[in-house]
Every structure is written in structure tokens, then in C-alpha cells.
């Protein structure tokens, strides 16, 4: 259907061939790989899912973006990581030709979808909190390393801005902590301690699991109870409008699973190749 829709649109031959291949795969869909269930694909490659807002949906644009994302992943290894993982990102310096910058920090937020996927890293350097916003598919990114793969209790860690510096301080020369292949991603149950007010946000109004209990004045507690909306979690229609239907998710991942599996196999081969050191004769 999409190929027929694009008959009057001039596209590069590469895009046309890839669209034709995807159309043939859609006519003969194959189930998602047994090694990775639909839920695992949804967590690892969350940026491949489109924006659920109806006003922003465009099937042709979304398919072309997925092609660009796969093409970008063929040039740079974008590993699996979550909010709470510690990353090291190497990017080219736009103000100095030929030079690169490497930043180490904890991922405190992931947002966006498609080519607009972003993530924020935070670290405390010289007693100063530093945050860097990276676009995941930015051509300026040269390398993304996962130094420690783990999850946290909350979906966002923006409260680290108001927490003690020790919870956001990481060595810039930190070594990679290897996680055994096939083992589940660990969840760090650490609960941080917030500094006294003033805060950047009203954390007492949010249901935070990764923060130690803190004192709240009766006035703030009363205001928090007034603006609380505990019934929204039971609003089925609102929750449905914020998600992509499972059938559509399965169709998207069936479309791109072959390319993602090939990229993952190539990444594993390169990893084994880098870890092998050829012996040499002494003397």
C-alpha cells in the first residue's frame, strides 16, 4: 500500500528497494524472534515505536524514519540501556575540527521517538552538576558505551538534581562492568536522599519510589492532596490513547527484526574480535 502511495513521489532507489522489501515482509509476516519477546523489543528499542498522539501520526514518515534509524545503526553501535544506566558518549566537537569530547554520566531521562529520540546524562564534576542532552541518532555521535547496565525504581531520575551530589558523581575513567550474557538487567533498589528545600520541582506531589522519605509540612501535604489525581490510573481510555496497540507494535517489530538481529550479531562478532589478542613470540 505504501509503495503504491509513493508512485508519484521521487525517492532514492535505495529507499524504494527497502520499502518494497518491507512490503513483501508485511504480506508474509513472520513472528517476532523467540529469543526476544514483544515486551523485550518494546523495552530495548522503544524509540522505534511512533508517537501515540493521533495528531502526530504519519505512517509514511514513520516508515521512512525507521529506515534512517536502521541505516544509522549500521554505522554506530547503539547498545541497550535504560534510565539509571551509566554511559560514556563520545561525540565530535562542532567548534574544533577533528577533536572529540567524551562525557560519562548516569542516564536520568529518555524521551522522544523516531529520529527525535533523546537522552540526558548527568555527572558532578568539580562539585558542579553537569548535564548533557544527546540526540540518539545525531551524526555527531561517534561512540556510545554502557559502563554499567542497570535500571532504577523510577522511570525518570530528574530528582537527582535536588539530591546529594554523591548520587550523581561518577569517575570519568570508570571501567566497563561486564554483565553475563543472557542474564536479566538488574534493578538498583537505591533510594537517594534529597537536599533541603528549595527544590526545582514539587517532589512531594509525585509518587517517587527511589527517594528516601522526607518531611513535608502540613500545608504542602494538604496542597498535594488537593491536586492529586489517583483515579487517572483507572481511566482505560486515557491509558489506551497513550499507548500503541499491541497489534501495531508487533507489525512494526516484525518489519525491522531481521535488520536488528543482523546488527546485533555483527556487534557481538566485533566485541569478540576486540576481546581476542593475537599471541606473539617472545625474544
Amino acid at each position: 500500500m505504501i509503495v503504491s502511495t509513493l508512485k508519484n513521489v521521487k525517492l532514492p532507489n535505495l529507499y524504494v528497494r527497502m520499502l518494497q522489501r518491507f512490503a513483501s515482509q508485511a504480506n508474509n509476516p513472520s513472528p517476532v524472534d523467540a529469543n526476544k519477546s514483544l515486551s523485550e523489543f518494546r523495552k530495548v528499542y522503544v524509540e522505534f515505536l511512533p508517537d501515540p498522539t493521533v495528531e502526530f501520526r504519519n505512517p509514511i514518515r514513520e516508515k521512512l524514519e525507521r529506515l534512517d534509524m536502521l541505516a544509522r545503526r549500521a554505522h554506530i553501535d547503539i547498545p541497550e540501556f535504560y534510565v539509571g544506566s551509566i554511559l560514556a558518549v563520545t561525540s565530535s566537537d562542532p567548534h574544533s575540527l577533528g577533536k572529540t569530547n567524551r562525557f560519562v554520566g548516569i542516564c536520568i531521562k529518555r524521551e522522544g521517538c523516531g529520529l527525535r529520540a533523546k537522552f540526558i546524562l548527568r555527572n558532578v564534576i568539580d562539585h558542579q552538576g553537569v548535564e548533557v542532552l544527546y540526540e540518539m541518532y545525531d551524526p555527531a555521535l561517534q561512540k556510545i558505551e554502557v559502563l554499567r547496565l542497570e535500571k532504577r525504581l523510577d522511570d525518570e531520575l530528574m530528582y537527582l538534581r535536588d539530591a546529594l551530589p554523591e548520587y550523581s558523581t561518577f569517575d570519568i575513567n570508570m571501567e566497563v562492568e561486564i554483565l553475563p550474557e543472557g542474564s536479566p538487567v538488574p534493578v538498583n533498589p537505591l533510594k537517594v536522599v534529597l537536599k533541603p528545600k528549595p527544590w526545582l520541582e514539587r517532589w512531594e506531589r509525585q509518587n517517587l519510589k527511589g527517594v528516601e522519605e522526607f518531611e513535608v509540612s502540613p500545608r504542602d501535604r494538604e496542597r498535594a492532596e488537593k491536586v492529586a489525581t489517583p483515579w487517572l490510573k483507572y481511566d482505560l481510555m486515557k491509558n489506551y490513547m497513550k499507548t500503541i496497540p499491541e497489534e501495531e507494535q508487533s507489525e512494526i517489530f516484525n518489519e525491522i527484526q531481521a535488520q536488528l538481529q543482523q546488527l546485533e550479531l555483527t556487534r557481538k562478532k566485533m566485541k569478540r574480535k576486540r576481546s581476542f589478542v593475537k599471541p606473539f613470540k617472545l625474544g
Side-chain angles (χ1 to χ4, degrees):
M1 177 179 178
I2 293 178
V3 177
S4 61
T5 307
L6 295 176
K7 283 184 178 180
N8 298 326
V9 181
K10 292 184 179 180
L11 291 174
N13 294 331
L14 175 63
Y15 280 99
V16 174
R17 290 196 299 270
M18 296 184 74
L19 285 173
Q20 291 174 347
R21 183 169 69 252
F22 286 157
S24 62
Q25 292 177 357
N27 294 331
N28 301 300
S30 58
V32 176
D33 183 19
N35 297 328
K36 282 187 180 293
S37 62
L38 179 61
S39 60
E40 291 176 338
F41 268 96
R42 187 189 300 118
K43 294 176 182 177
V44 177
Y45 305 106
V46 62
E47 70 274 6
F48 279 93
L49 294 178
D51 192 329
T53 306
V54 179
E55 292 81 2
F56 300 152
R57 295 301 304 273
N58 187 324
I60 298 178
R61 175 183 57 79
E62 293 167 3
K63 184 171 287 290
L64 294 177
E65 280 190 355
R66 288 195 289 270
L67 296 178
D68 286 339
M69 294 161 69
L70 291 172
R72 178 58 180 159
R73 282 179 172 267
H75 291 84
I76 181 176
D77 178 22
I78 302 179
E80 173 186 2
F81 69 94
Y82 304 90
V83 171
S85 301
I86 303 175
L87 310 179
V89 178
T90 304
S91 59
S92 59
D93 191 345
H95 307 291
S96 182
L97 184 62
K99 292 187 177 181
T100 59
N101 295 322
R102 184 176 185 268
F103 184 79
V104 175
I106 181 172
C107 179
I108 63 174
K109 185 175 183 180
R110 287 187 64 171
E111 61 181 354
C113 56
L115 295 175
R116 297 166 299 285
K118 307 177 184 67
F119 61 95
I120 302 177
L121 298 186
R122 176 179 174 81
N123 199 350
V124 176
I125 301 175
D126 294 335
H127 308 287
Q128 180 65 42
V130 181
E131 295 183 2
V132 182
L133 172 66
Y134 291 103
E135 296 184 2
M136 190 176 298
Y137 292 92
D138 186 357
L141 298 187
Q142 297 186 1
K143 189 176 184 182
I144 301 177
E145 304 172 83
V146 178
L147 305 182
R148 181 189 298 167
L149 181 62
E150 65 180 13
K151 300 178 182 178
R152 290 294 183 94
L153 299 176
D154 297 301
D155 296 332
E156 291 184 5
L157 303 180
M158 304 300 287
Y159 52 76
L160 288 179
R161 297 173 174 177
D162 291 320
L164 298 178
E166 59 192 63
Y167 297 105
S168 301
T169 304
F170 303 95
D171 187 4
I172 59 176
N173 298 318
M174 178 180 176
E175 297 290 338
V176 179
E177 299 181 6
I178 300 178
L179 189 67
E181 188 174 353
S183 60
V185 180
V187 179
N188 191 342
L190 176 67
K191 293 190 175 183
V192 304
V193 179
L194 297 182
K195 295 183 291 187
K197 286 187 175 182
W199 297 330
L200 295 176
E201 295 187 32
R202 300 178 185 268
W203 303 118
E204 71 275 5
R205 299 186 180 183
Q206 303 182 25
N207 185 20
L208 301 177
K209 302 177 182 178
V211 176
E212 290 284 357
E213 293 186 4
F214 48 85
E215 295 183 2
V216 181
S217 64
R219 181 183 178 184
D220 291 339
R221 188 181 302 276
E222 183 180 355
R223 289 182 175 180
E225 292 176 354
K226 286 183 178 180
V227 299
T229 55
W231 58 84
L232 286 182
K233 61 181 179 181
Y234 303 108
D235 192 339
L236 299 181
M237 182 56 66
K238 190 177 184 64
N239 294 331
Y240 176 79
M241 296 298 292
K242 289 184 177 181
T243 58
I244 301 296
E246 188 172 344
E247 297 79 8
E248 188 174 352
Q249 292 186 29
S250 180
E251 181 181 351
I252 292 174
F253 289 125
N254 284 332
E255 173 187 303
I256 62 178
Q257 67 167 337
Q259 289 78 5
L260 291 176
Q261 290 174 1
Q262 185 61 36
L263 292 174
E264 189 171 352
L265 290 175
T266 304
R267 178 178 59 83
K268 291 182 179 179
K269 290 181 181 178
M270 294 299 296
K271 186 176 180 180
R272 297 192 190 99
K273 186 176 181 181
R274 289 194 298 267
S275 61
F276 175 75
V277 179
K278 186 177 181 180
F280 59 91
K281 295 183 179 180
L282 298 176

